[in-house]
Amino acid sequence: MDRERVVRRSALLCAAAALVAATPSGSVRHWDVPALSSDQWESHAAIDPRTGDIWFVRSSPKFSGWHLMIARCTPHGLAAPEPAPIAVPGLEADPYFADRGRTLWFISSRATGGMNSADIDIWRVLRGTDGQWGQPERLPAPVNSGSAEWFPRPAPDGWLYFGSRRAGGMGQDDIWRARLRGDRWMVENAGPTINGPGAEYEFQPSPDGGWAILSTDKGLVRLTRGPSGWGNRTPYGPEVNVNGTEIGPMIAPDGHGFLYSRDAGDGRSGEFFVVSDSRRRAWPHPCGKG
């Protein structure tokens, strides 16, 4: 899937500096967690609301070969990362917890076991009352298609948003949305207020459904939801959009801040960064604390 191109976007530094500033009041900081940081690319974090474990994607420094990892929360802090308990050979990424931690959404090439990003599909898995994960389920057509699908994110409006380069899009990569009607899924393009002629990779709605972060080939963009739907598409400023490699946004549970990943430069590859809203206390919380 063409999100791999984000690593070649350093040439957009000048364009990023010209973006309209939309950074919330607060600050942007490097989320330097020794248990997670490595010489590889770390991205797409998801914090288990039941355990505090951090699921994330580890890739090569060139953002290829995606693997699901987990750093378990222990009384002594985060443990060293290990393959996620549902991980299998192939490509896997984009974890997201829903239903208060009962459901985990992710993408995987496990249907083929290959390392071709075109084989990526949307999957979900349920957690039992014993805390163990069940058998992952591949979503049927038309959610999954002959093209790659990625970044599945259920929203309070009842839609499941995801990215794809399937036929019928408005640009290079588009955001699509799916809804279950009875026992059938219906899928539609998310429309021109979200998609344009370029590439829109990822759409992360806020927990209350009032706003969202869109990952594009030019950086992160904020949208708000009004009576007529999504609109007010406003790029974040150069404090957030440093070099066009910004991906994998995760919004804080209270909506006052978010986490994302980008190429940190200086040979550090992909690292996590936090946009902290001045209205909330420090987030993400240290492991084992609140």
Side-chain angles (χ1 to χ4, degrees), residues 203-243:
F203 187 79
Q204 175 64 72
S206 65
D208 66 1
W211 64 285
I213 300 174
L214 177 66
S215 174
T216 77
D217 55 356
K218 295 179 175 61
L220 301 182
V221 176
R222 180 184 173 110
L223 294 92
T224 56
R225 187 174 179 86
S228 59
W230 294 103
N232 298 321
R233 178 171 167 156
T234 309
Y236 282 89
E239 302 91 344
V240 172
N241 290 323
V242 173
N243 54 25

Side-chain angles (χ1 to χ4, degrees), residues 7 10 24 37-38 57 69-71 88 92 116 142 172 206 213 221 232 236 260 272 283:
V7 301
S10 59
S37 296
S38 73
V57 177
M69 306 293 291
I70 182 173
V88 297
E92 296 187 312
N116 186 345
Q172 300 173 34
S206 65
I213 300 174
V221 176
N232 298 321
Y236 282 89
Y260 67 102
F272 289 114
W283 176 86

Side-chain angles (χ1 to χ4, degrees), residues 18 40 116 123 125 132 145 147 152 232 236 243 254 258:
Q40 304 297 295
N116 186 345
W123 293 70
V125 60
Q132 301 300 307
S145 69
S147 300
N232 298 321
Y236 282 89
N243 54 25
D254 64 4
F258 64 92

Side-chain angles (χ1 to χ4, degrees), residues 67 87-92 108-110 113-115:
H67 298 289
V88 297
L91 298 174
E92 296 187 312
S108 176
S109 65
R110 64 180 58 206
M115 298 296 288

Side-chain angles (χ1 to χ4, degrees), residues 35 55 142:
W55 294 55

